[in-house]
Amino acid sequence: EELEELRPKVEALQAEAEAKERARARLEEERNRLKLTNQELEEELRAAQGDDHAMAAAYRRLQQRVAEMDQRHHAQEKEWTYVVKETRRMCEMEVETLKHRSALALETKNREIRRFQLELEQILTAAAQMHSVNQTLVMA
């Protein structure tokens, strides 16, 4: 019963981990788009090579944009990596908790069964004794 109560939590955590993994994939796609943007900027730079001054300014702008994109990408990737790792850790902890609770519940049920078996044996012993006494009384 406790296992069934906790199952939706585990499923929710797993769904959250999957969503975060999809977000990480989207970040990877964004990184690829940024690479394409970088290539386009480099092409613009090559087009501006006719004028040394324009080329130097374009190159500085290109370097700045690439550095900014790279910083954003690394920050986002680091954040999503942490989120995915933390979600997995939480799922693992929840699974361990579920295992522990299940083991405790099973142990409790086993104790109840053993207690019931002992009570049943006592009842059967008492019934056998009563039957023996009745047989003795009937014969006397």
Side-chain angles (χ1 to χ4, degrees):
E1 291 177 26
E2 291 178 10
L3 181 61
E4 288 301 319
E5 291 174 10
L6 295 173
R7 189 175 309 276
K9 274 181 140 177
V10 170
E11 290 172 354
L13 288 171
Q14 288 172 337
E16 183 178 331
E18 291 170 3
K20 290 178 181 176
E21 185 64 32
R22 286 190 300 272
R24 191 198 61 72
R26 284 192 304 271
L27 286 173
E28 188 65 30
E29 290 174 9
E30 180 180 341
R31 179 180 184 207
N32 291 334
R33 283 192 298 273
L34 292 174
K35 283 182 179 181
L36 288 175
T37 301
N38 184 37
Q39 289 173 350
E40 291 169 4
L41 289 172
E42 287 177 349
E43 289 174 12
E44 285 179 27
L45 177 63
R46 281 191 291 277
Q49 285 179 346
D51 181 4
D52 287 343
H53 179 61
M55 185 175 81
Y59 185 73
R60 283 191 300 275
R61 285 192 309 273
L62 174 64
Q63 283 181 322
Q64 184 179 1
R65 285 182 67 186
V66 168
E68 289 169 0
M69 290 186 306
D70 194 45
Q71 286 174 350
R72 278 195 313 266
H73 169 73
H74 285 294
Q76 289 173 340
E77 186 174 2
K78 185 176 180 180
E79 178 183 347
W80 283 110
T81 299
Y82 171 78
V83 169
V84 168
K85 182 190 257 184
E86 192 62 20
T87 301
R88 284 184 179 152
R89 185 186 66 79
M90 290 172 58
C91 284
E92 289 169 2
M93 286 175 51
E94 191 67 31
V95 166
E96 288 303 315
T97 299
L98 288 173
K99 285 179 183 178
H100 180 70
R101 286 184 181 176
S102 296
L104 289 176
L106 184 61
E107 186 179 317
T108 300
K109 291 297 178 187
N110 284 338
R111 278 196 305 269
E112 288 176 10
I113 289 169
R114 282 193 296 272
R115 190 181 68 235
F116 176 74
Q117 286 173 334
L118 288 173
E119 289 175 8
L120 185 58
E121 286 175 16
Q122 290 172 351
I123 290 170
L124 290 174
T125 300
Q129 288 174 352
M130 288 177 64
H131 180 69
S132 176
V133 169
N134 281 340
Q135 288 296 329
T136 304
L137 291 176
V138 169
M139 294 183 135

